[in-house]
Amino acid sequence: MSLNLNPWVALLVGILIGWILEWLFELWFFRRRRLECQRRLAEVEDRLRARDEELRRSKARADALEAQLRAVVAPPVAPAAAPAAEVAVPAVEAELPAVAAAAPEVEAKLPEVAVAAPEVEAELPEVAVTAPEVEAELPEVAVTAPEVEAELPEVAVAAPEVEAELPAVAAAAPEVEAK
């Protein structure tokens, strides 16, 4: 059975079928994963915003405590100045005694601020890497050992001569009578 279709109509039908299959494939596989990743990303962003807000509150408390500490340690404020008047100050020469003054000791407990980095959970894709297989024929190489001509010296090897005195042994043969 064959369909007699105009090539343009067949092209249009093929494009429509391809578009529908791509849409179904996208809907079934990739959209789920993308939505899951977006959900996780939103959770991480929410946690980061909460940590950022907590950090801002801690910084504001630390700034307030520093201001209080400066107010306690700050030198007293001079009263407002009177209107300017010309006063002649006579020059006085005097030898003043040495005075040792120590700064007051101030004890203050500052709050501890603990800031932790946010925990990020992420799944990384596994990557499998395989080395390519290489097939190559190596050329045959003929290797010959060089011929060496050498004259070896003559070595005379002689068995050592041993001089030893052997003891004289007298052995008597038994007497045998024959009939």
Side-chain angles (χ1 to χ4, degrees):
M1 176 172 142
S2 67
L3 294 175
N4 292 329
L5 289 177
N6 185 350
W8 292 106
V9 173
L11 177 67
L12 183 62
V13 169
I15 289 173
L16 286 174
I17 290 172
W19 178 75
I20 290 171
L21 289 176
E22 184 271 335
W23 181 75
L24 289 173
F25 193 70
E26 169 75 19
L27 181 67
W28 183 257
F29 290 107
F30 296 113
R31 190 166 292 171
R32 286 186 197 173
R33 289 183 182 170
R34 186 173 54 237
L35 291 175
E36 179 66 22
C37 289
Q38 287 174 347
R39 184 188 61 76
R40 284 189 206 158
L41 182 62
E43 289 175 1
V44 169
E45 286 175 347
D46 290 342
R47 284 188 279 180
L48 283 175
R49 275 192 220 104
R51 297 275 179 146
D52 195 31
E53 185 62 33
E54 183 181 332
L55 182 61
R56 279 194 210 113
R57 284 194 303 263
S58 297
K59 184 162 177 28
R61 279 184 283 174
D63 289 343
L65 289 174
E66 284 180 13
Q68 288 177 354
L69 184 62
R70 274 190 235 110
V72 170
V73 177
V77 178
E86 288 187 30
V87 179
V89 180
V92 178
E93 289 184 23
E95 203 171 296
L96 299 175
V99 177
E105 291 183 22
V106 177
E107 290 185 23
K109 288 187 177 181
L110 297 177
E112 291 184 23
V113 178
V115 179
E119 294 180 20
V120 178
E121 294 179 12
E123 291 183 24
L124 298 177
E126 292 185 23
V127 178
V129 178
T130 58
E133 292 184 24
V134 177
E135 290 186 23
E137 290 186 26
L138 299 176
E140 290 186 24
V141 178
V143 178
T144 57
E147 291 185 24
V148 178
E149 290 184 25
E151 288 186 29
L152 298 176
E154 288 186 25
V155 178
V157 178
E161 291 183 22
V162 178
E163 289 184 22
E165 253 182 63
L166 297 175
V169 176
E175 287 184 25
V176 177
E177 284 187 27
K179 290 190 185 178

